[in-house]
Amino acid sequence: MAKNKLSGREKAAVLLVSLGTENASHIFKHLSEEEIEQITLEIANMRKVGSQEREVVLDEFHQMALAQDYISRGGINYAQEVLEKALGDQKAQGIIKRLTASLQSRPFDALRKTEPSQLLNFIQNEHPQTISLILAYIQADKAAAILSALPGELQAEVSKRIAVMDRTSPEIIKQVEAVLEKKLSTILQNEYTAAGGIEAIVEVLNNVDRGTEKQILDTLEEEDSELAEEIRKRMFVFEDIVNLDNRAIQRLIREIENKDLSLALKTASQEVAEKIYNNMSKRAAEMLKEDIEFMGPVRLREVEEAQTNIVNEIRRLEEAGEIVIARGGEGDLIV
């Protein structure tokens, strides 16, 4: 592996392998779960690292660390001046370029570090579009806490704007940041940044309490029934059955037809199937397995329809208060 052909993840993997398990474990403590997973995968797929490869990566890491130290002492210009004297113009510029790229932060990164209550006080009187833009960029649990605390009519308006949001230009983000008087150390690239959309509002609503979720969806239903239905469809999917407790599963089984259940389990994961079988009598589970075994080929559309019917029944039971799907701010799982 030549230095210029290694990706950032590959370099990180080589570095951690070179440092040894104990030092690598200390570094892992400062990484996110996603970063740990990505680097671990690189390490697992890595062939034996040669001494030359290791030296190249360690040398680059050492140079980057020195540059970072120089920046902390006197800023980018100071760091570049020192590196140019030590390594020459071209090499110094390459190091500074890579380092400044790594220092880029996400839009509204400073707001992501602010407590929800403080952030709520700061933005609650802003225009709904401004609030929507901010909530689309910050963590889902923090956005959920803020959304729950907004007035009811504003909750639905903000949720709708997040759901239909597609892409926002850096210029708009800069204007919002200026209005909020936040000096963010963000270096925005000259391209559009994706945020918002159906998945964004679904993730937020999955973290709010049931009352807030219902109020938002009911209001959206009156304003845009198609959007409300699309959000509802994505809030609980068939595979989420594994998150229901046994009593809820047993209650569900009493309400759905055998035909729907056997069709739905035709393509279900082993985990979902076992969840269902474990909440049936041994005889009923054996009969269901036989039905599935002798069913033969079926259209995928029929399986999806059966799974949709079951999900709709789960939602109906929850609406009726017969089962409870735990969400942000609520207790654990279902009764």
Side-chain angles (χ1 to χ4, degrees), residues 217-319:
L217 289 176
D218 286 348
T219 305
L220 281 178
E221 182 71 38
E222 297 175 3
E223 298 182 2
D224 191 332
S225 59
E226 291 185 3
L227 176 60
E229 180 60 23
E230 183 64 23
I231 291 173
R232 282 195 174 99
K233 284 180 181 178
R234 302 194 192 188
M235 289 199 63
F236 188 98
V237 297
F238 182 74
E239 294 294 325
D240 291 334
I241 284 176
V242 297
N243 297 321
L244 302 179
D245 75 0
N246 292 335
R247 284 176 291 177
I249 295 290
Q250 293 160 16
R251 181 70 184 86
L252 174 64
I253 290 173
R254 293 201 298 270
E255 296 297 325
I256 55 181
E257 298 181 4
N258 266 3
K259 181 181 177 182
D260 274 345
L261 190 53
S262 56
L263 276 170
L265 292 181
K266 182 75 174 176
T267 61
S269 68
Q270 184 65 26
E271 192 177 6
V272 170
E274 288 300 324
K275 187 78 173 182
I276 297 295
Y277 296 146
N278 290 340
N279 282 283
M280 306 175 73
S281 68
K282 185 176 180 179
R283 176 61 181 155
E286 288 175 353
M287 291 177 63
L288 180 57
K289 291 176 183 179
E290 288 178 2
D291 288 343
I292 296 172
E293 184 180 353
F294 293 109
M295 185 182 297
V298 294
R299 292 186 178 88
L300 180 60
R301 177 175 54 82
E302 295 178 17
V303 174
E304 291 175 344
E305 286 177 358
Q307 292 180 350
T308 298
N309 290 341
I310 292 175
V311 169
N312 288 338
E313 184 60 31
I314 291 171
R315 286 164 45 191
R316 186 192 71 77
L317 289 171
E318 187 190 22
E319 286 287 337

Side-chain angles (χ1 to χ4, degrees), residues 20-294:
T21 56
E22 185 174 352
N23 290 325
S25 67
H26 291 307
I27 293 175
F28 271 140
K29 293 177 182 178
H30 300 281
L31 302 179
S32 67
E33 290 185 7
E34 182 180 358
E35 289 169 335
I36 292 173
E37 181 179 338
Q38 292 173 345
I39 295 176
T40 301
L41 184 61
E42 289 293 342
I43 293 174
N45 292 328
M46 186 187 299
R47 59 176 176 78
K48 185 176 180 181
V49 180
S51 59
Q52 184 177 1
E53 296 168 342
R54 184 167 56 250
E55 287 177 9
V56 167
V57 172
L58 288 173
D59 181 58
E60 181 179 352
F61 172 72
H62 181 247
Q63 292 171 1
M64 294 283 282
L66 284 176
Q68 179 67 68
D69 182 50
Y70 296 150
I71 288 173
S72 66
R73 293 184 193 180
I76 293 288
N77 291 336
Y78 172 77
Q80 185 164 346
E81 183 179 348
V82 173
L83 290 172
E84 284 176 353
K85 290 180 180 179
L87 305 172
D89 292 355
Q90 185 174 357
K91 198 168 185 179
Q93 288 174 9
I95 293 173
I96 292 296
K97 183 178 180 180
R98 289 195 300 273
L99 191 57
T100 53
S102 70
L103 293 174
Q104 291 182 4
S105 57
R106 294 161 293 188
F108 302 107
D109 200 42
L111 297 183
R112 294 172 65 89
K113 302 171 184 176
T114 306
E115 288 297 320
S117 58
Q118 295 175 330
L119 188 53
L120 172 66
N121 292 332
F122 190 73
I123 70 172
Q124 61 184 346
N125 294 322
E126 296 293 331
H127 189 279
Q129 185 63 27
T130 300
I131 299 174
S132 303
L133 184 60
I134 293 170
L135 296 191
Y137 274 103
I138 65 175
Q139 303 95 319
D141 58 343
K142 185 174 292 186
I146 294 171
L147 186 62
S148 300
L150 294 174
E153 64 277 6
L154 188 55
Q155 290 176 344
E157 177 67 17
V158 169
S159 297
K160 180 179 180 180
R161 288 175 182 269
I162 295 175
V164 300
M165 190 184 298
D166 184 17
R167 305 176 84 79
T168 307
S169 71
E171 289 74 21
I172 297 297
I173 294 176
K174 285 180 180 179
Q175 291 173 17
V176 173
E177 289 174 345
V179 170
L180 297 175
E181 297 180 348
K182 289 290 183 180
K183 295 181 179 180
L184 303 177
S185 59
T186 306
I187 305 171
L188 294 174
Q189 299 177 355
N190 293 322
E191 63 185 83
Y192 285 80
T193 304
I198 296 291
E199 293 301 330
I201 191 57
V202 166
E203 188 174 1
V204 171
L205 291 180
N206 275 332
N207 280 275
V208 303
D209 61 88
R210 172 60 181 156
T212 300
E213 175 207 309
K214 187 176 187 305
Q215 182 175 350
I216 290 172
L217 289 176
D218 286 348
T219 305
L220 281 178
E221 182 71 38
E222 297 175 3
E223 298 182 2
D224 191 332
S225 59
E226 291 185 3
L227 176 60
E229 180 60 23
E230 183 64 23
I231 291 173
R232 282 195 174 99
K233 284 180 181 178
R234 302 194 192 188
M235 289 199 63
F236 188 98
V237 297
F238 182 74
E239 294 294 325
D240 291 334
I241 284 176
V242 297
N243 297 321
L244 302 179
D245 75 0
N246 292 335
R247 284 176 291 177
I249 295 290
Q250 293 160 16
R251 181 70 184 86
L252 174 64
I253 290 173
R254 293 201 298 270
E255 296 297 325
I256 55 181
E257 298 181 4
N258 266 3
K259 181 181 177 182
D260 274 345
L261 190 53
S262 56
L263 276 170
L265 292 181
K266 182 75 174 176
T267 61
S269 68
Q270 184 65 26
E271 192 177 6
V272 170
E274 288 300 324
K275 187 78 173 182
I276 297 295
Y277 296 146
N278 290 340
N279 282 283
M280 306 175 73
S281 68
K282 185 176 180 179
R283 176 61 181 155
E286 288 175 353
M287 291 177 63
L288 180 57
K289 291 176 183 179
E290 288 178 2
D291 288 343
I292 296 172
E293 184 180 353
F294 293 109

